[in-house]
């Protein structure tokens, strides 16, 4: 017999409640069904007002995650520059939270430090100049490695109020294959799309495409204020068949391009467990397909659902190459966070191809290590190469990156290479000894093809002995991720320190996410110890 954890039961009950509430108000689509393709019609069901959902048959766990090779320490004198793409994805944290809630220790590949830290928002200043995002830096002692320091780099995208939001042209691309039968899959997808529909206005447009063995258009692009029509199409979806994701992607982008809004938000929202098993099935082919479609200036949001066969690796890659973001939805509360509370950050891109290059002064930094972002690393020469893809930042989004620093004068933790017989590394005699490092940023406007660049300089004297509350909380989140992935760089970090630090740094915590992290850390400690 298949057992269902408490979180799955809660999710199922919540979905059934939402379905009952919405279906009572939503009329059927009537004669509109006659113009649908056969696959689209097959995804719909007669809607009587009462629905039941069955768990899919017992399955082996076939979830897939890429392995993570942690960044190591690098000597600043020989390699003073470190370059990477920003990452606004949050899926790793929400997915690991689901596993820990179900009493499962997550595999190391499921833990991406940057997505743990970026799941939470931080109090960075709003941009007030010519650039669409601000940059803040902070340096303090490293809590798990005595003598080392932590550098925090924080970006915040320009917030956009609801009444100033540009018109949206959205295509919901929904996986209705047989693997989506479970209550935490298609039923939760439908509830999430209802929430987003509630945020649409007359200036917006919504279309719904589905895919299983084949793809079809359930709802033509429809004004956002026609909520009854949109909700009716959502309510009547049902799961069944194999998964031809490639065909669905092609259809969704065609619809988005057909209804393209100049100066607006043009985006495909893909809701799936990522299990593409017919048509275009290889990860590389799907990535190539998405990369080609991204040239149309239609952006992509990938929302992962379910467990047991979650293809995290595939979904992360297609979001990355589709000028997009990737979130994992494990509950209706998470759907509300992503699609209502943070709708601007999720839908509205204010800068794309955002790259960061940190230039370390060896007079102050002996060695450094970037925490996370392993699959976002770029060659230093890529920083000014505008053909190289990088991450996007949304309206009001905060993006955070941490480096661990070994100050000059202490033993270097990096592994030195054999010195060259022909080239020597030496400090520039003109280097400004007052500057510890520079943070250099490049980005493109959402519809531009050339980048803009600017720099922030960090003076050496700005190392603080009293780090901010946000800095301390994010440090605890990083340490949690390192312990979960059994990092060799976790040093003296332990679960008691993580819980104590996070509890003392929750701040206002309007959505209760930091308090929830404290409970997650306590549960993880019991699981692992």
């Amino acid at each position: 017999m298949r057992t269902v954890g408490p979180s799955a039961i809660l999710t199922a009950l919540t979905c059934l409640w939402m379905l009952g509430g919405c279906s009572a108000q939503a009329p059927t689509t009537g004669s509109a069904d006659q113009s649908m393709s056969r696959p689209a019609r097959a995804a719909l069901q007669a809607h009587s007002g009462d629905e039941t959902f069955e768990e899919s048959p017992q399955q082996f766990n076939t979830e897939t995650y890429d392995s993570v090779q942690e960044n190591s320490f690098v000597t600043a004198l020989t390699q003073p520059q470190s370059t990477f793409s920003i990452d606004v994805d949050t899926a790793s944290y929400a997915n690991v939270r689901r596993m820990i809630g179900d009493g499962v220790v997550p595999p190391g590949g499921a833990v991406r430090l940057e997505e743990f830290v970026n799941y939470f928002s931080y109090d960075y200043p709003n941009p007030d100049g010519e650039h669409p995002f601000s940059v803040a830096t902070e340096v303090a002692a490293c809590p798990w490695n005595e003598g080392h320091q932590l550098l925090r780099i924080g970006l915040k995208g320009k917030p956009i109020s609801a009444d100033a939001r540009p018109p949206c042209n959205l295509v919901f691309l929904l996986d209705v294959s047989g693997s989506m039968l479970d209550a935490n899959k298609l039923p939760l997808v439908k509830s999430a799309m209802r929430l987003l529909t509630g945020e649409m206005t007359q200036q917006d447009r919504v279309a719904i495409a589905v895919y299983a063995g084949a793809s079809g258009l359930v709802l033509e692009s429809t004004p956002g204020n026609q909520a009854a029509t949109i909700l009716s199409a959502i309510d009547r979806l049902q799961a069944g068949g194999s998964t031809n994701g490639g065909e669905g992607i092609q259809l969704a982008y065609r619809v988005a391009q057909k209804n393209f809004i100049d100066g607006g938000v043009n985006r495909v929202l893909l809701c799936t467990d990522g299990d593409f098993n017919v048509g275009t099935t290889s990860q590389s082919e799907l990535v190539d397909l998405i990369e080609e479609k991204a040239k149309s200036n239609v952006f992509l949001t990938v929302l992962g659902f379910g467990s047991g066969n979650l293809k995290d690796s595939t979904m992360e890659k297609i979001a990355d190459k589709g000028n997009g973001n990737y979130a994992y939805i494990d509950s209706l509360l998470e759907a509300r966070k992503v699609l209502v509370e943070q709708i601007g950050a999720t839908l509205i891109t204010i800068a794309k191809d955002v790259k960061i290059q940190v230039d370390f002064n060896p007079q102050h930094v002996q060695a450094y290590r970037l925490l996370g972002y392993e699959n976002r690393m770029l060659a230093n020469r890529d920083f000014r190469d505008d053909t190289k893809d990088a991450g996007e930042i949304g309206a009001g989004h905060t993006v955070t990156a941490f480096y661990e620093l070994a100050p000059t004068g202490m033993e270097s933790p990096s592994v030195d290479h054999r010195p060259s017989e022909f080239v020597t590394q030496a400090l520039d005699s003109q280097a400004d000894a007052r500057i510890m490092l520079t943070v250099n940023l490049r980005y493109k406007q959402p519809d531009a093809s050339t980048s803009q660049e600017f720099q922030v300089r960090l003076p050496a004297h700005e190392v603080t002995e009293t780090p901010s509350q946000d800095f301390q909380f994010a440090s605890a989140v990083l340490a949690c991720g390192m312990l979960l992935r059994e990092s060799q760089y976790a040093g003296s970090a332990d679960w008691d320190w993580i819980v104590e630090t996070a509890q003392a740094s929750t701040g206002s915590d309007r959505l209760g996410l930091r308090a929830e992290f404290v409970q997650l850390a306590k549960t993880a400690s019991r699981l692992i110890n």
Side-chain angles (χ1 to χ4, degrees), residues 60 62 72 75 103 158 162 180 183 220 254 330 332 340 346 390 435 445 452 465 479 498 511 515 526:
F60 293 106
T62 60
S72 57
T75 300
K158 178 182 178 180
M180 294 291 287
E220 295 278 359
R254 282 199 303 271
D330 60 341
L332 201 57
V340 178
T346 300
I435 302 299
Q445 296 289 345
Q452 301 178 54
E465 294 182 359
I498 291 169
L511 298 179
R526 290 192 295 269

Side-chain angles (χ1 to χ4, degrees), residues 126-134 158 350-351 443 445 452-455:
N126 287 328
D128 58 2
E130 61 180 302
H131 304 293
F133 54 88
S134 64
K158 178 182 178 180
I350 53 103
Y443 69 93
Q445 296 289 345
Q452 301 178 54
E453 181 177 330
F454 68 101
Q455 181 187 84

Side-chain angles (χ1 to χ4, degrees), residues 14 75 124 137 176 192 273 310 358 363 410 430 453 496:
T14 304
T75 300
Y124 300 142
T137 58
V176 294
D273 56 15
L310 188 74
V358 184
Q363 295 177 89
M410 70 181 304
Q430 303 299 313
E453 181 177 330
D496 289 342

Side-chain angles (χ1 to χ4, degrees), residues 161-184:
S161 62
D163 56 358
R165 177 172 62 80
C168 292
N169 162 38
L170 304 181
V171 180
F172 300 169
L173 176 56
L174 311 181
D175 181 352
V176 294
S177 63
S179 68
M180 294 291 287
L181 278 169
D182 291 354
N184 61 356

Side-chain angles (χ1 to χ4, degrees), residues 16-39:
L16 288 170
W17 179 82
M18 289 293 295
L19 287 166
C22 292
S23 60
Q25 302 174 16
T28 59
T29 53
S31 60
D33 291 356
Q34 303 306 313
S35 62
M36 293 179 188
S37 65
R38 182 176 298 172

Side-chain angles (χ1 to χ4, degrees), residues 179-497:
S179 68
M180 294 291 287
L181 278 169
D182 291 354
N184 61 356
K185 293 188 178 181
L186 184 59
L188 184 55
V189 168
K190 293 162 71 172
S191 295
M193 293 303 98
R194 290 191 193 95
L195 288 176
L196 183 54
T197 299
E199 300 300 306
M200 296 293 99
T201 67
Q202 184 176 1
Q203 68 173 348
D204 305 314
R205 301 193 69 83
V206 173
I208 302 176
V210 297
Y211 65 91
S215 64
L217 192 61
V218 167
L219 182 71
E220 295 278 359
S221 187
T222 299
N225 63 340
Q226 295 185 18
T229 301
I230 300 169
L231 292 173
S232 176
I234 292 171
D235 287 345
R236 299 171 60 205
L237 295 173
Q238 63 180 357
S242 52
T243 315
N244 191 339
E247 186 175 302
I249 290 168
Q250 297 271 18
L251 172 62
Y253 275 89
R254 282 199 303 271
V255 174
Q257 289 171 277
K258 178 182 177 182
N259 298 282
F260 194 90
I261 299 175
D262 289 328
V265 174
N266 298 279
R267 185 173 291 268
V268 172
L269 290 97
L270 170 60
C271 300
T272 180
D273 56 15
D275 191 7
F276 306 112
N277 53 35
V278 298
T280 303
T281 60
S282 81
Q283 190 177 93
S284 61
E285 289 177 336
L286 285 165
V287 168
D288 289 345
L289 172 61
I290 288 292
E291 200 164 19
E292 179 63 30
K293 295 299 181 184
K295 297 175 183 177
S296 66
N297 274 336
V298 173
F299 291 77
L300 176 68
T301 290
V302 179
L303 303 177
F305 290 81
S307 60
N309 66 330
L310 188 74
K311 306 307 180 190
D312 173 83
S313 170
T314 299
M315 290 189 286
E316 186 200 14
K317 285 184 174 64
I318 62 177
D320 178 26
K321 296 302 182 182
N323 284 342
N325 43 54
Y326 169 36
Y328 176 79
I329 308 298
D330 60 341
S331 67
L332 201 57
L333 288 176
E334 184 67 13
R336 177 171 291 278
K337 170 182 177 287
V338 173
L339 299 175
V340 178
E341 298 286 346
Q342 299 177 354
I343 185 171
T346 300
L347 298 183
I348 307 171
T349 298
I350 53 103
K352 68 179 182 180
D353 290 340
V354 182
K355 304 172 187 175
I356 298 177
Q357 185 172 82
V358 184
D359 199 349
F360 294 96
N361 184 348
Q363 295 177 89
H364 299 285
V365 179
Q366 174 92 349
Y368 60 86
R369 184 178 89 86
L370 177 60
L371 281 73
Y373 292 91
E374 285 86 359
N375 60 2
R376 305 287 178 161
M377 298 300 294
L378 297 171
N380 291 329
R381 64 179 178 274
D382 293 340
F383 181 67
R384 287 183 168 167
D385 184 347
D386 283 352
T387 67
K388 298 298 182 181
D389 182 63
E392 284 65 48
I393 184 169
H397 237 147
T398 60
V399 181
T400 303
F402 275 86
Y403 281 88
E404 183 175 342
L405 310 179
T408 297
M410 70 181 304
E411 183 180 354
S412 176
S414 64
V415 178
D416 289 326
H417 299 286
R418 174 185 174 276
S420 170
E421 298 178 30
F422 311 104
V423 178
T424 59
Q425 298 284 342
L427 182 68
D428 185 346
S429 61
Q430 303 299 313
D432 189 343
R434 297 169 299 175
I435 302 299
M436 174 185 285
L437 56 90
T438 63
V439 180
N440 305 276
L441 301 107
R442 279 180 74 85
Y443 69 93
K444 298 171 187 169
Q445 296 289 345
D447 57 353
S449 57
T450 57
S451 294
Q452 301 178 54
E453 181 177 330
F454 68 101
Q455 181 187 84
V456 174
R457 300 167 73 83
L458 178 65
H461 68 267
E462 290 194 2
V463 178
T464 181
E465 294 182 359
T466 55
S468 65
Q469 196 172 65
D470 278 351
F471 186 102
Q472 295 180 67
F473 179 81
S475 299
V477 174
L478 281 172
C480 172
M482 288 194 291
L483 291 185
L484 286 173
R485 65 157 61 162
E486 299 181 331
S487 169
Q488 63 174 307
Y489 300 105
S492 62
D494 60 52
W495 291 107
D496 289 342
W497 175 84

